[in-house]
Amino acid sequence: MRQILFAGAIGLFLTLIGTPLLIKLLARKGYGQFIRDDGPRTHGSKKGTPTMGGISFILATLIAYALAKVITGEDPTYSGVLVLFLMAGMGLVGFLDDYIKIVKQRSLGLRAKAKMAGQLIVGIAFAVLALQFADSRGQTPASTKLSFITDFGWSIGPVLFVVWALFMILAMSNGVNLTDGLDGLATGASVMVFGAYTFIGLWQFQESCANAETLTNPNACFEVRDPLDLAVVASALMGACFGFLWWNTSPAKIFMGDTGSLALGGALAGLAICSRTELLLALLGGLFVLITMSVVIQVGSFKMTGKRVFRMAPLQHHFELKGWSEVLVVVRFWIIQGMCVIVGLGLFYAGWAADK
């Protein structure tokens, strides 16, 4: 428990004091946001706002995790380190994308093939490594079975698992990236999901099969390799994003950029895979799924019928064009995300209670 508190508090403190320093550095170098010409007109005032703010909470999370370990004298675990690796690796791909946008002064950074290649390399490395490092009970950070609240069904094998893990990583990374269109929207939504995973990791630790002899019903335990350390990682991310939100909320002083959005999506996918709650992530991160589906529907409708369902996709821009203020859209979408987290956690607890 001390690790969780220290990680969250340190992550919060580091981004609160570190982000304004990053803002000054990026502004001095002229690393400002490039705004699309076809976007909402109200976004014109955002041009030049420092971007690549994801650097702030990525570094804060890594430092918070490390310091929490040093302070408590606990050792890092493979599960925790792998999730951090996935976050940092996806963040590096996003950083390259952001940097090229700034240098070339265009709205598109890395070429699609190069960006996809970077994501695939990081994702495959994570998926392969997640099936290694078995503990004394034979548990690896990830499982080749699909999972909702716990593993279910038969093993899909290592090859299909890598494909499935890549799908999750790419879907969540690009989902957060699409959501990151309004000040504070993706950051605030991510804080809620990381908070949920802090609770899930702590609960799984208390009801871990590693402690089966002390449980009232060993059949209701969780076969997760390092649940407590996953909670530490989630807490560090929650705190770091919360501190970043102070500077990212409307009117934003800094944007996370692809550096941040790809990193957050990777972290969410990594936490879901290592905590054996893969399908539950679709509920916990319901806002990201909803916004991604709005883009899929818009593109599909236009290609098949030549007509658009929304005034503009992703979905948040549709409501902006309908006359909603940016703050109104963000707050209402946060409410939707909060409801998704409540439903997801409710199902998580109900599933455990039903087995118990």
Side-chain angles (χ1 to χ4, degrees), residues 134-205:
D135 62 10
S136 58
R137 297 181 297 120
Q139 293 295 322
T140 54
S143 168
T144 56
K145 293 182 178 181
L146 297 179
S147 60
F148 180 54
I149 296 171
T150 57
D151 289 344
F152 66 85
W154 297 278
S155 169
I156 60 176
V159 175
L160 285 180
F161 166 76
V162 171
V163 174
W164 168 240
L166 279 176
F167 170 77
M168 285 192 62
I169 293 166
L170 293 175
M172 286 310 302
S173 294
N174 290 293
V176 178
N177 185 250
L178 290 171
T179 304
D180 182 36
L182 301 182
D183 295 354
L185 178 58
T187 309
S190 297
V191 167
M192 298 182 206
V193 187
F194 289 131
Y197 271 109
T198 302
F199 171 82
I200 287 172
L202 184 58
W203 192 272
Q204 289 178 332
F205 172 71

Side-chain angles (χ1 to χ4, degrees), residues 8-351:
I10 295 170
L12 173 64
F13 175 75
L14 289 176
T15 47
L16 277 176
I17 66 169
T19 303
L21 300 178
L22 180 63
I23 292 172
K24 291 179 181 179
L25 175 64
L26 295 174
R28 187 163 60 246
K29 290 184 173 294
Y31 290 174
Q33 178 70 27
F34 187 92
I35 303 299
R36 293 169 49 186
D37 295 329
D38 58 345
R41 293 181 181 178
T42 55
H43 287 203
S45 61
K46 300 175 185 287
K47 186 174 182 180
T49 302
T51 187
M52 296 194 293
I55 295 172
S56 173
F57 57 73
I58 291 173
L59 291 177
T61 299
L62 295 174
I63 295 171
Y65 177 82
L67 288 180
K69 293 298 178 182
V70 171
I71 293 171
T72 60
E74 300 291 339
D75 294 326
T77 67
Y78 287 111
S79 298
V81 171
L82 280 173
V83 174
L84 292 174
F85 161 77
L86 181 58
M87 174 196 71
M90 297 299 287
L92 177 59
V93 175
F95 172 80
L96 294 175
D97 190 45
D98 286 333
Y99 186 76
I100 292 173
K101 289 177 186 176
I102 293 168
V103 172
K104 300 291 186 180
Q105 284 294 293
R106 66 189 192 195
S107 59
L108 295 176
L110 283 172
R111 300 297 179 187
K113 290 183 179 179
K115 189 173 183 179
M116 179 62 72
Q119 291 176 300
L120 288 176
I121 291 171
V122 175
I124 290 173
F126 167 82
V128 171
L129 291 172
L131 294 179
Q132 313 303 317
F133 313 115
D135 62 10
S136 58
R137 297 181 297 120
Q139 293 295 322
T140 54
S143 168
T144 56
K145 293 182 178 181
L146 297 179
S147 60
F148 180 54
I149 296 171
T150 57
D151 289 344
F152 66 85
W154 297 278
S155 169
I156 60 176
V159 175
L160 285 180
F161 166 76
V162 171
V163 174
W164 168 240
L166 279 176
F167 170 77
M168 285 192 62
I169 293 166
L170 293 175
M172 286 310 302
S173 294
N174 290 293
V176 178
N177 185 250
L178 290 171
T179 304
D180 182 36
L182 301 182
D183 295 354
L185 178 58
T187 309
S190 297
V191 167
M192 298 182 206
V193 187
F194 289 131
Y197 271 109
T198 302
F199 171 82
I200 287 172
L202 184 58
W203 192 272
Q204 289 178 332
F205 172 71
Q206 293 174 338
E207 301 294 332
S208 173
C209 293
N211 307 318
E213 64 278 1
T214 63
L215 301 178
T216 56
N217 185 2
N219 294 325
C221 63
F222 294 97
E223 288 285 7
V224 178
R225 191 190 190 283
D226 307 298
L228 183 61
D229 211 36
L230 293 176
V232 174
V233 172
S235 178
L237 279 160
M238 177 179 64
C241 287
F242 213 174
F244 181 75
L245 184 61
W246 181 272
W247 305 102
N248 182 232
T249 194
S250 183
K253 299 294 188 293
I254 188 170
F255 300 138
M256 70 169 69
D258 282 15
T259 306
S261 59
L262 295 188
L264 292 181
L268 288 171
L271 286 169
I273 291 168
C274 291
S275 65
R276 316 288 173 86
T277 56
E278 296 159 358
L279 298 179
L280 184 63
L281 180 59
L283 278 175
L284 293 173
L287 180 64
F288 304 127
V289 176
L290 177 65
I291 287 177
T292 301
M293 289 306 301
S294 73
V295 175
V296 173
I297 292 170
Q298 183 87 323
V299 173
S301 176
F302 186 76
K303 286 186 175 181
M304 290 188 293
T305 68
K307 297 181 180 180
R308 292 179 172 86
V309 176
F310 308 106
R311 294 188 180 185
M312 185 178 179
L315 187 61
Q316 62 268 32
H317 299 317
H318 166 78
F319 289 103
E320 278 193 291
L321 293 178
K322 286 190 67 175
W324 291 20
S325 69
E326 181 174 0
V327 173
L328 180 62
V329 176
V330 170
V331 172
R332 286 182 173 174
F333 275 39
W334 279 351
I335 293 172
I336 292 172
Q337 176 56 45
M339 293 170 62
C340 291
V341 167
I342 291 171
V343 171
L345 288 178
L347 288 175
F348 174 80
Y349 178 80

